[in-house]
């Protein structure tokens, strides 16, 4: 028999956030952000600009303000659709800081002390080892648990924080009764594992001193083509995917993700042609992929009123979901709700 109408199984929920600290690279896009867009039909998604996390290291206010608007615009521009997913700015939903305190009282000093990111960052910012930096994973747990997601897609660097989120959720559920869905990390199949154009054994990173090593999502066409022209390759002069050809392998991954072509198709396309041709083709394919995103970005950034209206709607929808979770936990903890 067929299913009764309107009884489609609930879509699984997914949540992820990104800090507004600089323009993402092609690696961030093909490794994570594009997946968020591709998964937004399959899942009920929630995506946020994690601006409260950004101030765990000192930020310049005017720059932070601009970067929040830019990151929100960029998420819209890559195709996250506020009609399908919750899309909002973390600081505009006060429940995040409120739940963070409630969870802080259920997080152990020892647990936070073991976080490798805290150890790294407190070495890097030795003059500003603040409580927020220490509590960062608890705020992240709040971001996640507020929306009761089944999955959290994150990269390897955030795995430890996700584990801690699960531990906190399990602990709170044990003490106060079922409050939270305990989320699973979601290991995404990256569209491409993008490496540095200058040192292709390393990950592409926007904090690299050498700007030629990464493509920013807002680089213009000439810059993109120039950076690919300078990409490190090898002396074999043959476009094929093979061990030891890290530079070419990287370019093939990128070209494949930008054009949808398989490695075999790429090898056939460039059979007997030099690296110059190939690099130019990769540069142009990437520029073609990014130019519609950049056009949308310019439109969003050019209309502040519309952008803020979208933030407002997003924040209101998020608040509705988030407040329910906070109320539920406060009640169970013994607070007097009005
Ligand atoms: N800490 C994450 C990062 O730097 C960003 C983040 C904040 C996040 N809150 C989150 C990611 C919740 C996933 C879920 O990448």
């Amino acid at each position: 028999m067929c299913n009764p109408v309107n009884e489609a199984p609930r879509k699984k929920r997914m949540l992820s956030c990104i800090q507004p600290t600089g323009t993402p690279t092609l690696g961030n896009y093909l490794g994570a952000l594009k997946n968020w867009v591709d998964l937004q039909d399959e899942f009920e998604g929630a995506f946020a600009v994690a601006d409260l996390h950004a101030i765990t290291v000192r930020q310049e206010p005017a720059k932070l303000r601009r970067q929040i608007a830019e990151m929100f615009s960029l998420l819209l521009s890559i195709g996250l659709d506020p009609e399908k997913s919750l899309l909002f700015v973390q600081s505009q939903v006060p429940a995040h800081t409120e739940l963070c305190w409630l969870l802080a009282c259920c997080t152990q000093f020892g647990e936070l002390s073991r976080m490798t990111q805290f150890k790294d960052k407190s070495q890097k910012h030795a003059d500003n080892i603040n409580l927020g930096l220490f509590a960062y994973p608890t705020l992240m747990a709040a971001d996640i648990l507020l929306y009761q997601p089944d999955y959290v897609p994150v990269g390897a660097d955030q795995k430890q924080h996700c584990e801690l989120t699960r531990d906190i959720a399990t602990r709170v559920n044990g003490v106060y009764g079922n409050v939270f869905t305990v989320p699973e990390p979601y290991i995404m199949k990256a569209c491409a594992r993008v490496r540095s154009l200058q040192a292709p054994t390393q990950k592409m990173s926007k904090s690299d001193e050498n700007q030629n090593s990464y493509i920013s999502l807002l680089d213009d066409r000439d810059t993109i083509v120039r950076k690919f022209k300078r990409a490190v390759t090898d002396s074999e002069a043959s476009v094929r995917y093979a061990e030891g050809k890290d530079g070419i392998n990287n370019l093939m991954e990128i070209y494949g993700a930008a054009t949808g072509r398989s490695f075999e198709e790429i090898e056939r396309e460039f059979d007997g042609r030099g690296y110059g041709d190939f690099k130019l083709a990769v540069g142009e394919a990437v520029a073609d992929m990014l130019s519609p995103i950049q056009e949308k970005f310019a439109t969003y950034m050019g209309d502040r009123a519309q952008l803020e209206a979208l933030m407002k709607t997003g924040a209101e929808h998020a608040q509705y979901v988030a407040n329910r979770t906070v109320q539920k936990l406060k009640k169970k903890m013994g607070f007097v709700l009005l």
Side-chain angles (χ1 to χ4, degrees):
M1 283 297 290
C2 55
N3 278 330
V5 266
N6 297 334
E7 285 289 329
R10 172 173 90 70
K11 279 188 191 174
K12 295 278 186 192
R13 299 208 179 101
M14 185 171 78
L15 172 138
S16 200
C17 308
I18 185 165
Q19 292 194 44
T21 44
T23 312
T25 66
L26 183 65
N28 302 129
Y29 179 61
L30 293 178
L33 296 172
K34 190 166 183 300
N35 277 295
W36 297 4
V37 179
D38 294 343
L39 292 169
Q40 70 178 332
D41 287 314
E42 189 182 334
F43 292 90
E44 234 176 69
F47 304 102
V49 176
D51 53 351
L52 295 170
H53 277 98
I55 63 164
T56 54
V57 301
R58 190 83 34 77
Q59 300 288 335
E60 214 235 291
K63 190 169 162 208
L64 180 63
R65 191 172 299 118
R66 178 170 45 79
Q67 289 186 327
I68 293 166
E70 286 179 352
M71 187 55 81
F72 192 75
S73 299
L74 206 52
L75 295 181
L76 289 161
S77 305
I78 62 172
L80 287 181
D81 179 352
E83 301 282 322
K84 292 182 186 165
S85 307
L86 281 178
L87 185 60
F88 62 96
V89 176
Q90 180 192 33
S91 67
Q92 295 171 347
V93 182
H96 289 251
T97 40
E98 189 174 8
L99 183 63
C100 180
W101 177 256
L102 303 179
L103 297 184
C105 300
C106 306
T107 311
Q108 298 303 307
F109 184 88
E111 290 177 308
L112 291 175
S113 311
R114 281 194 289 277
M115 295 291 119
T116 53
Q117 192 182 78
F118 172 70
K119 293 186 211 167
D120 291 350
K121 285 203 179 176
S122 38
Q123 263 182 11
K124 246 170 83 191
H125 305 276
D127 57 337
N128 185 21
I129 307 176
N130 60 75
L131 175 57
L133 192 65
F134 192 61
Y136 179 116
T138 306
L139 178 61
M140 182 160 157
D143 298 339
I144 296 170
L145 298 176
L146 279 173
Y147 301 90
Q148 312 278 4
D150 302 284
Y151 296 109
V152 182
V154 289
D157 62 327
Q158 297 298 322
K159 239 187 118 215
Q160 205 184 18
H161 293 161
C162 282
E163 279 307 313
L164 180 61
T165 300
R166 287 170 54 84
D167 291 344
I168 295 172
T170 308
R171 182 174 311 143
V172 171
N173 285 347
V175 177
Y176 298 106
N178 271 343
V179 183
F180 296 127
T181 304
V182 181
E184 309 264 343
Y186 186 87
I187 310 302
M188 284 187 300
K189 196 157 79 304
C191 300
R193 288 180 47 217
V194 179
R195 315 248 161 211
S196 157
L197 301 183
Q198 293 297 316
T201 52
Q202 294 163 21
K203 225 172 99 175
M204 179 178 282
S205 162
K206 68 183 167 209
S207 46
D208 200 313
E209 278 160 33
N210 184 348
Q211 298 203 356
N212 285 325
S213 73
Y214 62 89
I215 303 290
S216 146
L217 288 194
L218 298 177
D219 278 347
D220 62 27
R221 178 172 293 268
D222 287 348
T223 307
I224 294 172
V225 168
R226 179 172 45 76
K227 286 181 178 176
F228 277 108
K229 228 183 242 172
R230 295 190 183 163
V232 168
T233 49
D234 54 63
S235 53
E236 192 199 30
S238 143
V239 177
R240 60 187 187 93
Y241 199 95
E243 203 174 325
K245 288 171 70 72
D246 299 313
I248 287 297
N249 295 350
N250 187 32
L251 296 181
M252 287 179 71
E253 287 246 3
I254 296 171
Y255 190 65
T259 60
R261 283 172 217 168
S262 68
F263 290 156
E264 279 145 47
E265 287 169 322
I266 300 170
E267 285 169 5
R268 236 176 293 129
E269 185 181 350
F270 291 95
D271 188 24
R273 293 164 67 187
Y275 285 167
D277 273 11
F278 180 49
K279 287 179 178 181
L280 183 64
V282 182
E284 295 198 320
V286 169
D288 288 345
M289 173 176 71
L290 297 185
S291 77
I293 295 174
Q294 295 175 353
E295 276 165 33
K296 288 195 194 117
F297 177 80
T299 312
Y300 284 116
M301 287 302 286
D303 188 345
R304 189 76 191 191
Q306 189 209 9
L307 192 65
E308 287 185 10
L310 287 165
M311 284 182 181
K312 189 156 189 282
T313 323
E316 281 166 3
H317 288 157
Q319 275 160 24
Y320 178 79
V321 181
N323 287 344
R324 290 205 342 193
T325 305
V326 172
Q327 293 300 96
K328 186 171 166 191
L329 178 59
K330 281 177 84 174
K331 190 167 172 201
K332 292 199 185 241
M333 279 183 151
F335 291 101
V336 178
L337 304 185
L338 293 175

